[in-house]
């Protein structure tokens, strides 16, 4: 094995999370056949003996016409590494980015639980992180959406997702695969500009690199890291404040205490309050309408919220009321 910079980066990643990786021992690697997942699989295989991991390979077959042959390709790779191979096949999956992403995580979670893998690892890179930031920015996401794609998150009570390549670019994974002569599967869908993420990847980011900053991917990924830490801090503060201002029955908020708090915390507390009785996550306009009630006159109220709810000012409190008969 020729030791590379990427081996060093992955080694440092696991040293920072040594208790988790040593404690579990079993890792399910999500392999699409593309360069990022093949790079991850090779790196993990190279470090396997040192860390004493039990590795498994998982592949999610969308069942689309463009996926023909990929599953067999990945199965052969797993066999070549002498690793167990697991596959889930979708049925009538809509050909959209969102549907595919949701189903893949469900499939990976199911495999991990069935085969007793506490860890699932994906080959998401620094490039994916930058693309996700731009994608969510254009959708109008707040700071919570902009900090999506972190290093680690739970998939279920028994399964944790890790993304160990988030400080490695797609250029680096491609170079690694070529140096190692790894059999990359070129997915035709990755070139299809009907998908917005592909347009960000193939048109927008190259334009930004050429016209504004060659290091735009790195800078955007660093921005995500900064936002992530700040969101975690705000989440902690807002959850603590929410418990302070929420009545025991969960129907009222102390608006007098809320008035003394920064707007960022007011919005987060109101969002938590609305989430407690709405089926869907509240949007910006709904949150702002209730925030405006914090200093409003008595008996002022919001417009009707989803599910036939309103929030009304009653003395020192913001109270929720159902309009359903």
């Amino acid at each position: 094995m020729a030791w590379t910079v990427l081996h060093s980066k992955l080694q440092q990643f696991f040293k920072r999370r040594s208790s988790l990786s040593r404690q579990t021992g079993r890792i399910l690697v999500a392999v699409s056949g593309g360069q990022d997942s093949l790079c991850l699989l090779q790196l993990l295989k190279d470090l396997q003996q040192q860390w004493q991991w039990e590795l498994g390979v998982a592949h999610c077959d969308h069942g689309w016409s463009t996926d023909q042959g990929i599953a067999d390709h990945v199965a052969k790779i797993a066999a070549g590494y002498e690793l167990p191979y697991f596959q889930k096949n979708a049925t009538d999956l809509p050909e959209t980015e969102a549907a595919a992403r949701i189903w893949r995580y469900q499939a990976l979670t199911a495999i991990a639980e069935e085969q007793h893998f506490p860890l699932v690892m994906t080959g998401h890179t620094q490039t994916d992180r930058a693309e996700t930031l731009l994608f969510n920015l254009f959708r109008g996401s707040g700071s919570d959406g902009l900090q999506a794609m972190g290093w680690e998150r739970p998939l279920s009570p028994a399964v944790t997702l890790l993304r160990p390549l988030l400080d490695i670019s797609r250029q680096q994974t491609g170079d690694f695969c070529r140096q190692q002569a790894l059999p990359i599967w070129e997915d035709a869908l990755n070139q299809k500009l009907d998908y917005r993420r592909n347009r960000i990847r193939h048109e927008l980011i190259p334009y930004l690199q050429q016209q504004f900053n060659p290091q735009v991917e790195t800078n955007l990924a660093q921005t995500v890291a900064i936002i992530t830490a700040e969101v975690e801090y705000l989440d902690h503060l807002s959850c603590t404040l929410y418990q302070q201002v929420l009545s025991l029955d969960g129907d009222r908020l102390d608006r007098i205490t809320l008035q003394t708090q920064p707007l960022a915390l007011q919005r987060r507390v109101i969002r938590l309050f609305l989430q407690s009785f709405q089926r869907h996550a509240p949007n910006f306009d709904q949150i702002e309408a209730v925030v405006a009630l914090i200093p409003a006159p008595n008996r002022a109220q919001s417009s009707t919220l989803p599910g036939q709810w309103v929030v009304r000012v009653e003395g020192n409190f913001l109270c929720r009321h159902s309009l359903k008969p």
Side-chain angles (χ1 to χ4, degrees):
M1 177 189 71
W3 191 263
T4 69
V5 172
L6 300 196
H7 287 92
S8 296
K9 286 192 173 186
L10 198 65
Q11 185 85 315
Q12 290 303 313
F13 172 85
F14 287 114
K15 285 183 178 178
R16 292 194 299 269
R17 292 162 175 79
S18 60
S19 60
L20 179 61
S21 53
R22 287 190 187 277
Q23 194 174 43
T24 57
R26 289 174 56 79
I27 298 173
L28 184 67
V29 189
V31 178
S32 66
Q35 66 182 50
D36 299 336
S37 60
L38 290 188
C39 174
L40 174 61
L41 182 60
Q42 181 66 55
L43 291 171
L44 292 172
K45 184 64 177 174
D46 290 344
L47 298 177
Q48 180 181 15
Q49 185 174 359
Q50 177 181 347
W51 288 85
Q52 298 182 340
W53 293 318
E54 293 179 52
L55 301 177
V57 173
H59 179 72
C60 302
D61 189 336
H62 303 107
W64 300 340
S65 59
T66 50
D67 285 350
Q68 290 183 4
I70 300 180
D72 290 341
H73 179 71
V74 176
K76 290 178 182 177
I77 291 171
Y81 284 115
E82 298 183 343
L83 296 176
Y85 173 76
F86 310 98
Q87 181 178 325
K88 287 287 184 183
N89 301 318
T91 302
D92 298 325
L93 182 67
E95 292 193 29
T96 67
E97 294 174 278
R101 181 176 62 254
I102 292 170
W103 175 77
R104 281 196 303 270
Y105 281 122
Q106 291 172 342
L108 290 171
T109 303
I111 294 172
E113 291 180 339
E114 291 165 5
Q115 303 298 328
H116 307 292
F117 284 96
L119 286 181
V120 171
M121 292 193 188
T122 62
H124 290 106
T125 65
Q126 181 185 84
T127 306
D128 292 301
R129 211 176 198 189
E131 292 169 359
T132 299
L133 173 64
L134 292 172
F135 184 84
N136 287 339
L137 179 65
F138 298 149
R139 292 174 58 202
S141 297
S143 55
D144 285 16
L146 297 182
Q147 59 93 40
M149 194 168 288
W151 294 93
E152 175 183 336
R153 75 175 177 90
L155 292 177
S156 76
V159 181
T160 299
L161 172 70
L162 288 182
R163 300 182 177 106
L165 303 186
L166 286 184
D167 62 353
I168 295 170
S169 71
R170 184 171 290 121
Q171 179 66 47
Q172 288 176 298
T173 63
D175 291 343
F176 179 86
C177 288
R178 285 185 286 274
Q179 292 164 5
Q180 303 290 324
L182 300 181
I184 300 171
W185 183 279
E186 298 294 346
D187 189 348
L189 285 181
N190 289 337
Q191 305 300 320
K192 193 174 181 181
L193 297 183
D194 293 347
Y195 295 122
R196 288 174 291 177
R197 188 177 291 273
N198 286 346
R199 296 185 67 183
I200 291 173
R201 176 178 305 173
H202 298 299
E203 295 184 342
L204 180 57
I205 287 184
Y207 176 80
L208 294 175
Q209 290 171 328
Q210 293 168 10
Q211 301 296 327
F212 292 91
N213 186 343
Q215 301 301 315
V216 67
E217 278 188 12
T218 300
N219 292 346
L220 288 173
Q222 290 172 348
T223 299
V224 174
I226 293 170
I227 294 173
T228 298
E230 293 176 351
V231 166
E232 289 176 355
Y233 177 64
L234 286 173
D235 277 347
H236 172 73
L237 292 180
S238 58
C239 287
T240 301
L241 177 61
Y242 181 58
Q243 295 303 318
Q244 293 174 356
V245 300
L246 184 68
S247 62
L248 291 177
D249 59 13
D251 289 335
R252 299 178 297 160
L253 295 177
D254 176 357
R255 70 185 185 117
I256 303 305
T257 300
L258 276 178
Q259 285 184 43
T260 66
Q261 301 300 316
L263 178 59
L265 291 181
Q266 290 179 353
R267 285 173 171 157
R268 287 178 173 272
V269 167
I270 295 302
R271 184 178 65 185
L272 290 170
F273 185 53
L274 295 180
Q275 285 174 337
S276 71
F277 57 87
Q278 289 186 191
R279 177 179 297 180
H280 301 292
N283 61 35
F284 177 81
D285 290 336
Q286 292 164 359
I287 294 171
E288 289 301 284
V290 179
V291 168
L293 296 178
I294 295 175
N298 194 40
R299 308 305 294 178
Q301 72 176 40
S302 67
S303 57
T304 304
L305 298 166
Q308 296 294 300
W309 291 92
V310 296
V311 175
R312 183 178 301 141
V313 178
E314 297 181 1
N316 293 340
F317 298 94
L318 299 179
C319 304
R320 67 174 186 174
H321 292 279
S322 175
L323 300 179
K324 292 181 179 179

